């Protein structure tokens, strides 16, 4: 086997091959290469020295390889490790667009060998073959492929999740369960034992793990598994937008759904009623929670997994992307000793994340903080979190009433859903507690009307309501590929962009798309918001039972920046696009 410290990865190797597939790099020649990799990871900030030392000890104890231990412990992500491999070895990384539509040299290369070796041939001519490799330090596989094809192998570094997806597409491994079912014409009426047998097959387990692992690696927020008559559709939600990632054979529907239900400790024989569950998994070295929901549909159960990756969530206002002046005003409201502060918006607008951020800011030994949630999404250190359980009588209202007897300083109610909860929250605020909660309204002013509709008296509302934050999430432009442009004068005039830009030139950006953002042009999301703080003029409108438009006009006159204007400012700052602001804000108005 060639010395990887001296021979480039694309050099032909003629030494006899005796090592097993994906064998660790061993011996004196391996140490300098892995040492260089460790130095590169530290210098680029992809892993700290303490993490390297921890992985080194684990590698020595388990006779493993340093880079693989780093991945297994989650100290370095697969994407960063792939980038490090490429920089260290001076080779290219594989773009998703390079994977072929059909298998390359299928007569010469065995599909099982390629799956076991975790490699995908990309293209071939008469003399060379490009090879995507999950492990670029594996020298046996290029040697074996060179011997089998008679072509010089040019090795490239692949991102594991993209490579596994290509392997599954190009070299599918049918489960025995799906093969057995091909001849069946009767409806699938398997009993619990049959479903367990389907779900316990190795190909099904591996396929479900690939679906989950790929979603986590690409930072998806949800996995949607949807059965149809002719296919099983898999979609991921990235930055609030669903993307179809693959379709599978309809024969796999019962096996895949049963596998996930077993993981979530759900009743696999119950397919007529909705079910909810949780899964806790170590994926790519990270502890990740999944919230699982099933509902019956025409061709089977539709299943959604909500991904709650604690390692990727940071509860701070900078990460949220809220405007600094708005954050300062919000912090001032949260520092008040009593009253109600609401966060409003549609489902998926980041309301809970904003409240968690505020709670993290308030968390101190001198304060008792209690939350009532349904469900508890993230565990917050030092904060008492309580789960609503309606089936045993633990509703928001009953829990809130009980918590008041525990003398808390700050109470977060996950959502004010009914008049009873609203009335108790008002009483809590009147008796010296700061209450944080959410409402499903499209604007800050509409929250006042919603509370009125729930039966909260006007005099109580004006006495306790300190502020209402209405927010949306817009997609953040990918910094690597966003393209500036000067908008047409008609758009500048219609949206009054000149006044918003001030002395700066009016420049907007297109979402172009590149490998770093999965060709979407966007990478992550940021919050835009409006903050209404009731003043004397608004209180008079409340007593006059004015509608939300009159209240909104008064708030704007008092200095509130409307939601759409906040979005336009973010677009002018190069953080998002006009199109995404319009999609997320105007669509709900």
């Amino acid at each position: 086997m060639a010395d990887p410290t001296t021979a480039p990865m694309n050099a032909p190797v003629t030494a006899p091959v005796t090592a097993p597939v994906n064998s660790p790099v061993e011996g004196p020649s391996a140490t300098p290469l892995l040492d260089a990799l460790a130095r590169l990871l530290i210098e680029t900030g992809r892993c700290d020295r303490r993490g390297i030392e921890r992985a080194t000890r684990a590698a020595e104890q388990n006779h493993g390889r340093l880079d693989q231990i780093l991945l297994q412990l989650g100290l370095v992500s697969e994407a960063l490790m792939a980038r490090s491999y490429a920089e260290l070895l001076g080779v290219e990384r594989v773009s998703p667009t390079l994977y072929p539509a059909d298998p390359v040299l299928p007569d010469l290369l065995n599909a099982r060998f390629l799956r076991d070796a975790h490699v995908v041939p990309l293209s071939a001519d008469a003399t060379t073959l490009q090879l995507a490799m999950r492990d670029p330090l594996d020298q046996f596989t290029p040697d074996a492929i060179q011997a089998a094809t008679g072509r010089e192998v040019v090795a490239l570094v692949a991102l594991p999740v993209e490579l596994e997806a290509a392997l599954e597409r190009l070299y599918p491994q049918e489960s025995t369960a799906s093969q057995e079912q091909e001849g069946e014409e009767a409806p699938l009426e398997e009993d619990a034992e049959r479903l367990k047998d389907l779900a316990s097959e190795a190909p099904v387990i591996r396929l479900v793990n690939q679906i989950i692992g790929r979603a986590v690696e690409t930072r998806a927020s949800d996995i949607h598994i949807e059965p149809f008559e002719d296919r099983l559709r898999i979609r991921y939600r990235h930055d609030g937008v669903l993307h179809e990632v693959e379709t599978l054979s309809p024969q796999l529907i019962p096996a895949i759904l049963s596998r996930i239900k077993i993981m979530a400790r759900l009743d696999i024989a119950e397919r007529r009623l909705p079910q909810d569950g949780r899964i806790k998994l170590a994926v790519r070295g990270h502890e990740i929670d999944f919230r699982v929901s099933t509902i019956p549909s025409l061709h089977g159960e539709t299943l959604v997994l909500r991904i709650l990756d604690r390692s990727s969530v940071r509860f701070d206002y900078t990460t949220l992307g809220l405007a600094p002046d708005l954050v300062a005003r919000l912090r001032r409201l949260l520092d008040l000793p009593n009253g109600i502060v609401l966060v409003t918006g549609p489902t998926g607008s980041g309301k809970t994340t904003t409240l968690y951020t505020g709670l993290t800011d308030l968390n101190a030994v001198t304060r008792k903080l209690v939350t009532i949630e349904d469900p508890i999404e993230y565990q917050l250190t030092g904060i008492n979190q309580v789960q609503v359980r309606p089936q045993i009588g633990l509703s928001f209202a009953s829990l809130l009433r009980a918590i008041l007897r525990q003398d808390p300083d700050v109470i977060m109610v996950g959502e004010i859903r009914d008049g009873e909860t609203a009335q108790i929250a008002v009483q809590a605020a009147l008796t010296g507690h700061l209450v944080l909660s959410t409402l499903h309204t499209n604007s800050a002013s509409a929250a006042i009307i919603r509370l009125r509709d729930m039966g909260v008296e006007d005099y109580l509302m004006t006495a306790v309501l300190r502020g209402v934050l209405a927010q949306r999430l817009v997609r953040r432009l990918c910094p690597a590929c966003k393209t500036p442009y000067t908008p047409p004068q008609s758009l500048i005039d219609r949206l009054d962009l000149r006044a918003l830009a001030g002395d700066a030139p009016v420049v907007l950006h297109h979402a172009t798309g590149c490998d770093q953002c999965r060709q979407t042009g966007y990478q992550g999301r940021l919050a835009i918001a409006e903050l209404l703080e009731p003043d004397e003029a608004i209180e008079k409108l409340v007593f006059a039972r004015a509608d939300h438009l009159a209240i909104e006009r008064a708030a704007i006159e008092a200095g509130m920046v409307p939601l759409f204007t906040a979005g336009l400012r973010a677009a002018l700052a190069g953080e998002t696009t006009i199109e995404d602001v319009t999609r997320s804000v105007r669509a709900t108005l």
Side-chain angles (χ1 to χ4, degrees):
M1 187 166 67
D3 184 349
T5 60
T6 57
M9 286 301 299
N10 57 2
V13 183
T14 57
V17 175
T18 57
V21 174
N22 284 341
S23 61
V25 178
E26 297 175 349
S29 64
T31 303
L33 187 63
L34 294 177
D35 285 347
L37 177 64
R39 287 195 299 272
L40 176 64
L41 292 171
I42 294 173
E43 290 169 0
T44 55
R46 294 166 191 165
C47 186
D48 58 23
R49 191 174 299 278
R50 183 177 298 177
I52 296 292
E53 292 172 353
R54 175 185 168 194
T56 301
R57 288 194 299 271
E60 291 172 351
Q61 293 171 3
N62 296 281
H63 305 288
R65 217 171 71 190
L66 176 64
D67 54 338
Q68 295 175 351
I69 298 295
L70 285 167
L71 291 170
Q72 291 168 10
L73 293 176
L75 297 171
V76 179
S77 70
E78 289 183 334
L80 291 179
M81 186 62 79
R83 187 183 303 176
S84 302
Y85 282 145
E87 293 173 7
L88 180 72
L89 300 171
V91 298
E92 296 181 21
R93 282 191 298 156
V94 178
S95 165
T97 58
L98 290 182
Y99 287 103
D102 300 301
V104 174
L105 303 178
D107 297 334
L108 298 177
L109 297 172
N110 181 272
R112 181 176 178 180
F113 171 81
L114 296 176
R115 285 196 301 267
D116 291 344
H118 300 286
V119 297
V120 173
L122 299 175
S123 62
D125 56 27
T127 58
T128 61
L129 182 148
Q130 282 196 329
L131 187 68
M133 300 187 66
R134 176 174 181 159
D135 178 10
L137 303 188
D138 165 25
Q139 284 289 326
F140 167 74
T141 302
D143 288 352
I145 291 178
Q146 180 173 313
T149 62
R151 292 167 171 82
E152 179 183 350
V153 172
V154 178
L156 305 178
V157 178
L159 188 62
V161 290
E162 295 171 353
L163 185 139
E164 297 299 334
L167 280 172
E168 192 65 34
R169 175 173 57 84
L170 296 169
Y171 310 100
Q173 187 172 7
E174 293 291 334
S175 71
T176 56
S178 64
Q179 292 169 355
E180 290 173 4
Q181 293 167 12
E182 286 178 358
E184 296 181 7
E185 296 180 359
L188 294 172
E189 297 292 345
E190 297 88 356
D191 59 14
E193 291 304 316
R194 172 64 172 158
L195 290 172
K196 287 179 182 177
D197 290 341
L198 291 178
S200 63
E201 292 184 349
V204 172
I205 294 173
R206 184 165 57 249
L207 180 56
V208 170
N209 289 344
Q210 286 176 1
I211 291 170
I212 291 175
R214 200 182 319 156
V216 173
E217 185 68 26
T218 58
R219 298 186 180 278
S221 61
D222 303 90
I223 305 172
H224 291 248
I225 301 175
E226 302 159 321
F228 295 95
E229 183 178 8
D230 58 343
R231 70 193 192 280
L232 178 65
R233 182 170 70 178
I234 311 295
R235 294 193 291 175
Y236 296 160
R237 189 181 295 279
H238 288 109
D239 302 329
V241 178
L242 282 169
H243 301 271
E244 184 172 320
V245 292
E246 63 180 313
T247 57
L248 301 173
S249 167
Q251 280 80 26
L252 289 171
I253 291 173
I256 289 178
L257 296 184
S258 297
R259 172 61 187 165
I260 296 175
K261 288 170 75 174
I262 288 173
M263 295 168 70
R265 301 175 184 269
L266 301 178
D267 183 356
I268 62 173
E270 178 56 76
R271 286 164 287 172
R272 301 165 301 170
L273 296 173
Q275 296 188 72
D276 294 296
R278 277 183 175 268
I279 301 173
K280 181 175 285 188
L281 284 178
V283 181
R284 316 290 188 199
H286 293 285
E287 278 289 334
I288 297 183
D289 289 333
F290 298 85
R291 226 171 56 212
V292 182
S293 171
T294 72
I295 59 170
S297 64
L298 182 61
H299 299 290
E301 290 171 289
T302 297
L303 193 146
V304 176
L305 291 89
R306 176 81 185 276
I307 302 172
L308 304 172
D309 185 358
R310 299 176 192 171
S311 65
S312 65
V313 175
R314 293 174 55 201
F315 297 118
D316 64 73
Y317 293 111
T318 303
T319 304
L320 283 176
L322 292 172
D325 58 333
L326 187 142
V327 170
R329 293 167 57 202
L330 179 60
R331 277 186 162 139
R332 190 167 61 249
L333 291 177
L334 296 179
D335 281 336
L336 295 174
N338 55 60
I340 295 179
V341 178
L342 297 175
V343 181
T344 75
T347 300
S349 59
K351 300 186 297 295
T352 303
T353 303
T354 299
L355 286 180
Y356 276 170
T357 303
L359 286 174
T360 305
D361 224 22
L362 291 172
N363 194 7
V365 177
T366 55
R367 289 193 185 100
K368 183 177 179 69
L369 281 69
V370 183
T371 72
I372 307 170
E373 303 176 61
D374 184 23
I376 297 173
E377 293 195 358
Y378 295 98
Q379 296 177 18
L380 305 176
T381 303
I383 296 175
N384 302 281
Q385 296 174 269
V386 184
Q387 171 75 51
V388 170
R389 299 185 186 276
Q391 62 271 26
I392 60 172
L394 282 180
S395 64
F396 278 109
S398 62
L399 277 172
L400 182 54
R401 191 179 291 109
I403 283 170
L404 289 176
R405 294 193 288 270
Q406 297 240 330
D407 190 29
D409 296 293
V410 181
I411 305 169
M412 186 193 100
V413 181
E415 182 185 348
I416 295 179
R417 297 177 178 174
D418 51 56
E420 185 182 7
T421 306
Q423 293 288 352
I424 300 170
V426 167
Q427 292 301 321
L430 284 171
T431 53
H433 304 87
L434 179 64
V435 179
L436 313 180
S437 191
T438 70
L439 278 178
H440 282 99
T441 62
N442 287 336
S443 65
S445 58
I448 294 175
I449 310 302
R450 179 64 53 83
L451 289 175
R452 179 189 296 161
D453 292 341
M454 287 181 176
V456 178
E457 297 291 342
D458 294 337
Y459 73 92
L460 291 175
M461 196 187 314
T462 56
V464 300
L465 189 61
R466 302 290 181 257
V468 183
L469 181 80
Q471 76 172 49
R472 301 290 185 278
L473 293 178
V474 295
R475 291 182 289 175
R476 198 188 297 264
L477 279 164
C478 173
C481 65
K482 64 180 182 181
T483 307
Y485 73 97
T486 301
Q489 190 61 44
S490 59
L491 182 65
I492 294 175
D493 294 339
R494 180 157 57 92
L495 299 178
D496 200 16
L497 297 179
R498 168 54 57 199
L500 292 175
D503 296 331
V506 178
V507 177
L508 299 175
H509 290 78
H510 286 304
T512 306
C514 65
D515 292 344
Q516 294 187 29
C517 59
R518 305 176 306 280
Q519 306 300 325
T520 64
Y522 298 97
Q523 200 171 62
R525 290 190 288 177
L526 69 136
I528 56 174
E530 62 184 18
L531 180 58
L532 183 152
E533 297 179 78
D535 57 9
E536 187 176 343
I538 291 176
E539 288 179 1
K540 289 180 180 178
L541 290 172
V542 171
F543 283 119
R545 305 188 73 79
D547 63 14
H548 72 94
L549 293 177
I551 295 172
E552 184 172 282
R553 283 193 295 269
I556 292 173
E557 289 175 4
M560 182 183 83
V561 177
L563 198 58
F564 190 62
T565 302
L568 294 180
R569 287 181 176 177
L572 288 169
E575 295 179 319
T576 187
T577 61
I578 288 287
E579 294 81 6
D580 208 63
V581 171
T582 303
R583 177 189 65 84
S584 60
V585 178
R586 286 291 174 92
T588 59
L589 295 181

